Amino acid sequence: MREDQDAGALEDRTAAEPRAAAPAVDPRRLAAERLKAGDLIGAVAQASRAVVEDPKDAQAFAVRALAHELAGEHTKALVDAEAALAVAPLAAAYDARAAALSSLGRHAEALADATRSIALDPKDAFAFATRARALHSLGRSREAHADASRAVDLDGELVDDMQCVLGD
């Protein structure tokens, strides 16, 4: 009987104690995870949630821009990349804007942004790949080949993507 009383008292005390709140889920982190998993719709949704929570979250804008770009929504990508860059000069934002500009046929501008991204993060394979495509489109084959090779060296999964440049 004593054990029953002790157990009851313990239940009463723990029920009355405030419980620790579950850790908040970071939508920016979820957006990046969804993007990495190839869930572009989920990445856009989570990044949008992060932007609503913090309209100055440059990283969330950059993730959403990249998701839009990969989904073929180049104008939306450009808008979000510019919003990110208005807050902070992130390599990811330059990456997204460079890719969007390249997709929109604005290769000289894409080249400039990819170069900015590389200056901020010299191990950014995506930026080297984007710059390689821009250089290739501008007829600068030798430089394009060097950047494509560097992109593949940094990330071997880009080899198929870079065949249009490396095959020249």
Side-chain angles (χ1 to χ4, degrees):
M1 181 146 145
R2 176 83 177 132
E3 288 176 15
D4 290 340
Q5 288 174 338
D6 288 344
L10 179 61
E11 284 177 26
D12 290 341
R13 277 195 313 255
T14 56
E17 293 174 4
R19 294 181 187 242
V25 178
D26 178 15
R28 181 176 44 162
R29 182 182 55 79
L30 288 175
E33 288 172 3
R34 298 241 170 112
L35 182 63
K36 188 173 183 178
D39 176 9
L40 302 179
I41 294 170
V44 168
Q46 289 300 323
S48 295
R49 190 171 144 223
V51 167
V52 167
E53 289 179 11
D54 181 2
K56 297 228 180 260
D57 188 340
Q59 190 66 42
F61 275 112
V63 168
R64 191 169 72 177
L66 188 53
H68 281 311
E69 176 57 27
L70 294 172
E73 298 174 325
H74 313 302
T75 302
K76 287 181 179 181
L78 186 58
V79 168
D80 276 346
E82 289 176 347
L85 290 167
V87 176
L90 300 176
Y94 282 118
D95 280 350
R97 190 168 74 177
L101 289 167
S102 185
S103 295
L104 293 168
R106 296 164 59 181
H107 303 295
E109 292 169 89
L111 173 61
D113 274 354
T115 300
R116 287 182 188 104
S117 180
I118 291 166
L120 291 170
D121 182 1
K123 295 187 180 202
D124 185 346
F126 185 83
F128 277 101
T130 301
R131 190 167 77 173
R133 282 189 215 87
L135 288 163
H136 183 71
S137 295
L138 294 169
R140 295 166 59 180
S141 298
R142 190 170 2 142
E143 293 165 280
H145 192 278
D147 275 358
S149 295
R150 180 71 177 135
V152 171
D153 287 346
L154 290 168
D155 182 350
E157 291 184 22
L158 290 173
V159 70
D160 290 339
D161 245 12
M162 293 288 91
Q163 283 309 310
C164 65
V165 177
L166 294 170
D168 286 352

